[in-house]
Amino acid sequence: MFSAIRNTLPRQVSRAYSTTSGGYKGPQAILWGVLATGGVLVAGYSYMRSKYPHVTEEPARLALNSRKFKPFTLQDKVPINHDTSMFRFALDPDEELGLYVTSCFVAKARVGDDEKPIVRAYTPVSPQYARGYFDMVVKKYDDGKMSSHIHGLEPGDVLHIKGPIHKLVYNANDFKEIGMVAGGSGITPMLQLLQHVLDDPKDKTKLTLMYANKSEDDIILRSLLDSYAEKYPKQFRVVYTVDKASTPDWKGEVGYVTKDMVQKYFPAASKDNVMMMVCGPMPMMKSVSGPKLPDFSQGEVDGIFKELGYKSDQVFKF
């Protein structure tokens, strides 16, 4: 399984990336792996970085179409934990998916006897300029028709996708500090942004991520997030909180995201050029920032963020 995935990586990538300091901050290619660490199953990413000397000389074709759904073929899938898997879809060797930071796409599928197809938005976790493939991380929910459909796909099956869907247009150094609150699979748009920021040596934006999950076993992409925190300690910090600690040596926070946690880890609303971002299950959104409106517009700031004085131009809800 893993050899098939490794063979899709551009051969021009030649220099291995580790968590040691130094090295070129540029495009990335991802080798998948699943690492068992202390009994906790987490996604293991190993990065390899280079300037892609041959690939980037020619402009890439963009795979997505914003006007119509196109079929994309599943190449492989790898379980991350008990309810989450990573899915790699194939592109032509000279194709990039065609998303910018931050944006997503929508997937469509007919499920069971439903008359109308199900449509859901997803943010891939592969690098913005990856060629020949793109990766999705999908958490399966018991009542989630689309997530169950995607988890039922096998290599060779197709998923119909349209995009990009515009979110927040980000430019380097737009903000001095960005605070991110994510729950469960809500980590994916945060990962898209933080990878983009940390891979740009000119972008000095400071990032703090609070990632909430039910348990340690539910923390998606933990090894990747930890590697970024180790690589860029002055620019990126990640804080985990779980509903209930499973081991006595748990060093993160315990419980739902609270006002005290936000005050402890994030920049105050009174600071200049601060942005707070949030993505996760609806109960968390309501508690932290207030929900988006039914038409998917931002709506008013509510919840913890409102209590702490953050204004609408300081909050973005994915």
Side-chain angles (χ1 to χ4, degrees):
M1 175 185 294
F2 298 119
S3 61
I5 296 171
R6 292 188 181 99
N7 289 338
T8 68
L9 296 172
R11 293 185 180 180
Q12 289 78 7
V13 181
S14 59
R15 185 158 54 84
Y17 163 73
S18 70
T19 55
T20 56
S21 61
Y24 175 73
K25 292 178 70 178
Q28 311 161 11
I30 296 177
L31 289 175
W32 289 2
V34 178
L35 304 180
T37 306
V40 179
L41 198 63
V42 297
Y45 274 79
S46 296
Y47 275 74
M48 298 170 67
R49 301 183 174 193
S50 79
K51 294 185 179 181
Y52 291 44
H54 302 297
V55 173
T56 54
E57 287 177 357
E58 297 296 329
R61 294 189 300 115
L62 302 183
L64 283 174
N65 189 312
S66 61
R67 295 187 178 91
K68 65 179 182 179
F69 285 90
K70 292 177 57 178
F72 291 88
T73 302
L74 179 65
Q75 181 176 330
D76 216 332
K77 63 180 181 181
V78 176
I80 293 177
N81 61 25
H82 59 282
D83 62 4
T84 304
S85 293
M86 190 176 295
F87 300 82
R88 172 160 290 187
F89 289 85
L91 303 177
D92 288 342
D94 63 343
E95 281 187 324
E96 294 174 3
L97 185 58
L99 293 184
Y100 68 89
V101 177
T102 63
S103 62
C104 65
F105 56 66
V106 290
K108 179 178 73 172
R110 289 191 178 275
V111 179
D113 298 326
D114 291 348
E115 294 183 4
K116 294 183 178 180
I118 304 296
V119 178
R120 294 289 185 270
Y122 291 95
T123 304
V125 297
S126 43
Q128 181 180 1
Y129 300 111
R131 294 195 182 188
Y133 71 97
F134 68 91
D135 297 334
M136 295 172 61
V137 168
V138 180
K139 182 181 180 73
K140 183 179 180 181
Y141 295 93
D142 292 339
D143 57 349
K145 292 184 178 181
M146 179 60 82
S147 65
S148 296
H149 172 76
I150 293 175
H151 272 256
L153 296 177
E154 296 296 337
D157 293 339
V158 300
L159 184 66
H160 289 81
I161 292 172
K162 180 173 73 172
I165 306 300
H166 296 208
K167 295 288 185 179
L168 175 72
V169 177
Y170 178 80
N171 298 300
N173 301 303
D174 274 348
F175 310 103
K176 288 183 180 179
E177 295 185 64
I178 297 177
M180 297 177 282
V181 180
S185 58
I187 189 63
T188 56
M190 307 305 186
L191 180 60
Q192 183 189 60
L193 176 63
L194 72 88
Q195 284 188 128
H196 184 77
V197 172
L198 297 176
D199 288 340
D200 182 355
K202 296 180 180 179
D203 198 335
K204 306 303 181 183
T205 306
K206 291 186 177 181
L207 307 169
T208 300
L209 169 66
M210 177 169 286
Y211 190 17
N213 284 277
K214 292 180 180 179
S215 70
E216 290 181 67
D217 289 354
D218 292 299
I219 299 175
I220 304 170
L221 307 177
R222 182 177 180 179
S223 61
L224 175 61
L225 296 171
D226 288 345
S227 72
Y228 269 126
E230 185 178 351
K231 175 74 174 179
Y232 309 104
K234 295 182 179 180
Q235 192 174 5
F236 174 58
R237 182 183 188 183
V238 58
V239 179
Y240 302 106
T241 183
V242 296
D243 293 358
K244 185 177 181 180
S246 57
T247 59
D249 59 348
W250 169 249
K251 293 181 174 59
E253 296 284 349
V254 177
Y256 296 155
V257 177
T258 65
K259 180 179 177 180
D260 288 343
M261 289 182 193
V262 174
Q263 287 179 305
K264 180 179 179 180
Y265 294 107
F266 293 112
S270 58
K271 280 196 169 185
D272 292 335
N273 215 11
V274 166
M275 173 60 73
M276 300 294 292
M277 300 180 175
V278 60
C279 186
M282 183 57 68
M284 190 195 83
M285 297 284 288
K286 288 181 178 179
S287 172
V288 173
S289 64
K292 296 176 74 171
L293 296 180
D295 64 357
F296 301 107
S297 60
Q298 289 289 295
E300 296 295 325
V301 176
D302 206 344
I304 294 171
F305 285 174
K306 181 178 180 179
E307 290 182 48
L308 293 176
Y310 295 102
K311 306 301 182 183
S312 59
D313 61 350
Q314 295 177 301
V315 175
F316 187 82
K317 308 169 190 176
F318 284 100

